[in-house]
Amino acid sequence: MATLLYRLGRFAFRRRHFTALFWVALLALAGVAAAGAPVAGNSSFSIPGTEAQKAFDVLEERFPGASADGATARVVFKAPAGEKMTDAGNKAIVQDTVGELSDGSEVARVTDPYQGGGVSEDGTVAYASVSYRVSGMELEESSRDSLEDAAESARDAGLTVEVGGDALQAVPATGATEIIGIGVAAVVLVITFGSLVAAGLPLLTALIGVGIGVASITALASTLELGSTTSILATMIGLAVGIDYALFIVSRYRAELAEGREREDAAGRAVGTAGSAVVFAGLTVVIALVGLSVVNIPMLTKMGIAAAGTVAIAVLIALTMVPALLGYAGRRVRAAGEKGKRRGREDAEKENGTARGKAQEKAQRQNLGTRWARFVVRRPVAVLLLGVVGLGAAAIPASSLELGLPDDGSQPTSTTQRRAYDLLSEGFGPGFNGPLVVVVDAKGSDDPDAVFRQTGDDIKALDDVVSVSPAAPNKTGDTATITVVPDSKPSSVATEDLVHDIRDAGAGIKADTGADVLVTGATAMNIDVSQKLNDALVPYLTLVVGLAFLLLIVVFRSILVPLKAALGFLLSVMAALGAVVAVFQWGWLSGLMGVEETGPVMSMMPIFMVGVVFGLAMDYEVFLVTRMREAYVHGEEPDEAVVTGFRHGARVVSAAAVIMMAVFAGFIGSSESMVKMIGFGLAIAVFFDAFVVRMAIVPAVLALLGKKAWWLPKWLDRALPNVDVEGEGLRTDADAGAGGKGGGPDDRDLARV
């Protein structure tokens, strides 16, 4: 592989005009496709195989035209102090508002609070329900404007009016912190390379890659029904890995220049060595993201595949466009360790090889990475224990993990959705915001009406039930819906227990009458999602970690090194989950993070973090340990190989980690609680994995294992393909034929390959 990538790097460097034009044309093509694509349509959260989804499908079939998947809104009214909503004046305002709400072309129906029981017992709060024929993402802006205008008219008349529901759903904003994250990345790159040009290359290529990926997602959003958060998460991950992959290749290119290589040869060697690590690191990320499909939640599958596609683009750009831009940059990208402006005389000396001694003398100096590695090698047990105990302590809050999906109750208090949620809780009780919809399918029953009555009576006898509505049958009379209002808030354990109790009662009804009793609604759907994600976690871990473990065996030609990598990942992801629980569930530092409402952690957070963090963790493992492996196979002792790996890789891996943390942390400013939580979780996970696991635990374990770390059974060694990540083939082939111009195959050889 190293030889093939070497040829690809030289080809891209030499044919830089063609390479750059190709990627710019692809970006323009994707942009045009995105601009002309229709607006994304329905991105409903379907969960195949769950009872809540089965009930939803029955509603679609038995209640045609009911727009079961349509957007909904609740317009909540509160009377002024000392008045009631039943007063004649207030009642007239509400009825005028209901009439105004009914005028929209996309409105399916509006429920009058005075005819549908929408007034609280104390008479201070009332609500009108609005149902639309299309989903929240398909609603035209004119419908949203009409909804808000109607509410504003009632406010002007003297009532307190707030609007909740998914009709006001909008694409989440990320805020200025995302730009700050990119700015931090730029500063770190300038410090790392000491050059604006060298620092700009990773940023430019990453932005082009993300631009192609996000534009492609936008172009396909309507066809594939991609949600609004898909492009945000693809941006988050694609930007982070795109900068990192380009950073490693540019860094290796500068190191090759310091060895006295000519620029074209240095670009080829950088792609052949660091590029090999990029390919395998990218493969681990892609495996982790595509593996999310085993959960069988369409939205999560689409998010994973879209992000994986963006990562694949980042890999290809790092292998081709980065060397092309290095060709354009020329002498403006200096050799590693070279200070000040390049002068023609100094450049000529380096190309003639007279600066090689200076580079070797500088390499013998102990930089910070070298000093740290020698410290760890001398005290591996103490460092290992400190790292493991520290991560274990950070993981303790994860034992209190509670899962759920965000609703209007998790919105900031400044939003009308949250204020509507609070008004409904005040007037009707906390469970009113999470009603359960019980679907009774009595198609095979002799007396459907009797089944409907029995179901309602059985539910009334359960604990934590405030009210049970009369059964509402369909036109054929074989299926009915019953609305159940719990006594507890939607995200509570008591409400979850009630859902299970209704389902248990339904099993008895089915045994007696043959009728199916199914529970659905947003609350029941959230409970089923959490259960499905919990059930899928172990199979997902087995698949992703197993495939990546096999891949790393091929890369490192070792059993213990991949095993250590996997165990280190588990430590970092558990510690990161603990931090997420502490901030978003317990409320620690919630003000600093902009978390206005604590509550359960998003249901998909654990499995999503496992997928993404595993892929990113393997990035650092591959980049850092391949340098150690390279030194070891070239004859160094195991301890010295660890030190060599840190001398060449610690600074770059640290810079890459800081950049990735900055990019992820930039999404903490999002208005969407899911994006905010994922941004924080990934940022803290990168910190734990890069600076505790890879920088401390990994060298400590390798120092303790010694030569055993690189042990591989002979039969397995013969069976595995030789991918040559260390670039040994470049030493034997290219060096043998290299002159001052850098030997090895040229771009004509690439065409033959």
Side-chain angles (χ1 to χ4, degrees):
M1 174 176 286
T3 303
L4 176 62
L5 292 179
Y6 169 82
R7 293 167 176 165
L8 179 62
R10 290 193 64 192
F11 175 86
F13 186 96
R14 184 176 299 177
R15 300 288 186 264
R16 61 187 72 105
H17 302 312
F18 168 79
T19 304
L21 181 62
F22 170 80
W23 285 111
V24 172
L26 193 59
L27 176 62
L29 183 63
V32 170
V39 178
N42 184 7
S43 56
S44 58
F45 197 83
S46 62
I47 314 293
T50 61
E51 180 172 318
Q53 185 64 43
K54 183 179 178 182
F56 182 82
D57 295 339
V58 171
L59 288 175
E60 288 278 282
E61 177 187 348
R62 305 289 173 82
F63 291 83
S67 302
D69 62 342
T72 59
R74 275 179 170 175
V75 182
V76 187
F77 307 89
K78 184 176 181 180
E83 299 181 17
K84 293 184 180 297
M85 291 305 305
T86 51
D87 294 345
N90 293 333
K91 188 174 181 179
I93 296 172
V94 172
Q95 289 177 333
D96 288 344
T97 305
V98 169
E100 190 175 346
L101 290 170
S102 303
D103 291 339
S105 60
E106 294 181 317
V107 175
R109 60 188 175 277
V110 179
T111 303
D112 189 316
Y114 301 103
Q115 298 177 4
V119 181
S120 63
E121 289 185 8
D122 61 5
T124 60
V125 178
Y127 73 93
S129 294
V130 185
S131 299
Y132 293 89
R133 296 187 177 91
V134 296
S135 68
M137 294 302 295
E138 293 175 306
L139 265 184
E140 295 181 0
E141 283 301 318
S142 59
S143 295
R144 292 193 179 94
D145 292 341
S146 297
L147 178 63
E148 293 171 348
D149 289 345
E152 190 61 36
S153 297
R155 290 191 191 103
D156 293 341
L159 297 179
T160 299
V161 186
E162 304 296 347
V163 183
D166 61 354
L168 294 182
Q169 180 180 0
V171 177
T174 53
T177 50
E178 180 184 349
I179 306 300
I180 295 174
I182 297 176
V184 171
V187 172
V188 173
L189 287 169
V190 171
I191 294 174
T192 302
F193 290 138
S195 165
L196 289 175
V197 175
L201 291 182
L203 280 176
L204 177 61
T205 55
L207 290 173
I208 291 175
V210 168
I212 294 172
V214 171
S216 301
I217 291 170
T218 304
L220 298 173
S222 177
T223 304
L224 301 180
E225 297 182 355
L226 302 179
S228 58
T229 55
T230 302
S231 59
I232 293 179
L233 296 176
T235 301
M236 183 189 301
I237 297 169
L239 193 60
V241 300
I243 293 174
D244 278 7
Y245 294 164
L247 166 64
F248 280 102
I249 289 180
V250 173
S251 177
R252 187 61 185 252
Y253 170 77
R254 296 176 71 238
E256 294 294 337
L257 289 180
E259 290 290 325
R261 311 283 182 196
E262 190 202 354
R263 294 185 179 277
E264 182 180 326
D265 187 44
R269 288 174 175 272
V271 175
T273 51
S276 298
V278 165
V279 169
F280 283 101
L283 276 176
T284 59
V285 180
V286 169
I287 288 173
L289 292 171
V290 173
L292 291 170
S293 59
V294 303
V295 184
N296 196 27
I297 295 180
M299 188 188 82
L300 193 59
T301 299
K302 293 171 185 177
M303 286 167 55
I305 293 175
T310 307
V311 171
I313 293 172
V315 171
L316 293 174
I317 283 185
L319 298 179
T320 56
M321 193 167 187
V322 170
L325 293 182
L326 289 172
Y328 283 118
R331 298 176 181 178
R332 287 184 290 274
V333 177
R334 303 187 298 270
E338 188 176 341
K339 305 293 183 180
K341 291 185 177 181
R342 295 287 312 251
R343 291 193 170 98
R345 181 178 55 83
E346 294 172 335
D347 189 64
E349 287 178 351
K350 189 166 290 295
E351 290 183 354
N352 290 330
T354 58
R356 185 177 302 222
K358 295 181 181 179
Q360 292 174 345
E361 179 183 350
K362 183 169 183 65
Q364 294 173 357
R365 301 176 190 170
Q366 291 194 357
N367 57 23
L368 182 60
T370 303
R371 294 195 296 272
W372 170 250
R374 293 197 184 281
F375 172 80
V376 175
V377 167
R378 287 196 303 269
R379 298 174 178 82
V381 175
V383 173
L384 179 61
L385 288 177
L386 185 61
V388 171
V389 170
L391 291 178
I396 290 175
S399 61
S400 302
L401 178 66
E402 297 177 9
L403 298 177
L405 286 178
D407 56 15
D408 284 348
S410 61
Q411 295 273 6
T413 54
S414 58
T415 63
T416 186
Q417 295 97 317
R418 171 61 185 278
R419 292 195 293 264
Y421 181 98
D422 292 339
L423 284 177
L424 289 172
S425 296
E426 175 189 332
F428 299 90
F432 196 78
N433 283 293
L436 306 175
V437 179
V438 179
V439 180
V440 185
D441 180 3
K443 193 172 185 178
S445 174
D446 296 333
D447 190 355
D449 289 337
V451 174
F452 300 155
R453 287 193 300 271
Q454 179 185 348
T455 303
D457 292 341
D458 288 353
I459 294 174
K460 288 177 183 177
L462 298 174
D463 295 333
D464 204 53
V465 174
V466 171
S467 66
V468 178
S469 71
N474 61 349
K475 290 181 179 180
T476 58
D478 59 8
T479 306
T481 60
I482 300 173
T483 302
V484 180
V485 177
D487 188 39
S488 305
K489 65 180 183 179
S491 59
S492 67
V493 176
T495 300
E496 182 177 349
D497 292 339
L498 176 60
V499 171
H500 293 309
D501 290 342
I502 295 174
R503 287 172 174 170
D504 291 341
I509 293 172
K510 182 177 177 63
D512 295 338
T513 65
D516 284 327
V517 178
L518 308 171
V519 185
T520 189
T523 301
M525 186 72 81
N526 291 353
I527 293 171
D528 287 352
V529 168
S530 299
Q531 187 60 51
K532 191 175 182 70
L533 289 166
N534 285 338
D535 293 342
L537 187 56
V538 172
Y540 175 70
L541 268 174
T542 303
L543 172 69
V544 172
V545 176
L547 288 176
F549 180 78
L550 295 176
L551 185 65
L552 292 178
I553 289 178
V554 174
V555 174
F556 295 126
R557 309 195 76 79
S558 164
I559 298 294
L560 296 180
V561 171
L563 180 61
K564 171 263 310 168
L567 293 177
F569 151 73
L570 291 176
L571 277 174
S572 59
V573 79
M574 288 304 298
L577 275 176
V580 169
V581 170
V583 173
F584 291 89
Q585 187 175 309
W586 291 1
W588 294 4
L589 302 177
S590 58
L592 180 63
M593 297 297 166
V595 180
E596 295 190 19
E597 185 71 20
T598 59
V601 173
M602 183 182 59
S603 296
M604 66 178 67
M605 189 68 187
I607 201 163
F608 188 81
M609 278 190 65
V610 165
V612 176
V613 175
F614 181 79
L616 300 180
M618 294 308 102
D619 279 2
Y620 301 119
E621 181 75 14
V622 170
F623 288 131
L624 191 60
V625 179
T626 48
R627 270 290 195 168
M628 301 177 190
R629 168 77 181 172
E630 183 178 344
Y632 177 75
V633 298
H634 291 151
E636 292 188 12
E637 291 298 315
D639 285 358
E640 279 304 309
V642 171
V643 175
T644 299
F646 268 76
R647 180 168 62 246
H648 292 294
R651 182 181 182 185
V652 179
V653 168
S654 298
V658 171
I659 289 170
M660 197 170 281
M661 288 167 57
V663 172
F664 288 149
F667 289 84
I668 296 175
S670 173
S671 61
E672 178 69 35
S673 59
M674 181 175 74
V675 176
K676 180 190 293 288
M677 190 179 295
I678 289 177
F680 171 80
L682 294 183
I684 197 69
V686 168
F687 171 77
F688 286 145
D689 194 86
F691 293 105
V692 180
V693 175
R694 308 303 154 188
M695 290 291 181
I697 293 178
V698 165
V701 171
L702 291 178
L704 289 172
L705 291 175
K707 292 184 178 180
K708 295 178 182 178
W710 308 107
W711 171 79
L712 187 69
K714 291 184 179 179
W715 63 268
L716 184 57
D717 187 40
R718 291 191 296 269
L720 291 177
N722 183 14
V723 296
D724 189 22
V725 177
E726 303 83 17
E728 184 65 23
L730 299 183
R731 284 179 175 256
T732 56
D733 296 339
D735 280 347
K741 294 291 183 183
D746 60 18
D747 55 301
R748 289 170 295 181
D749 296 310
L750 180 63
R752 291 195 293 270
V753 175

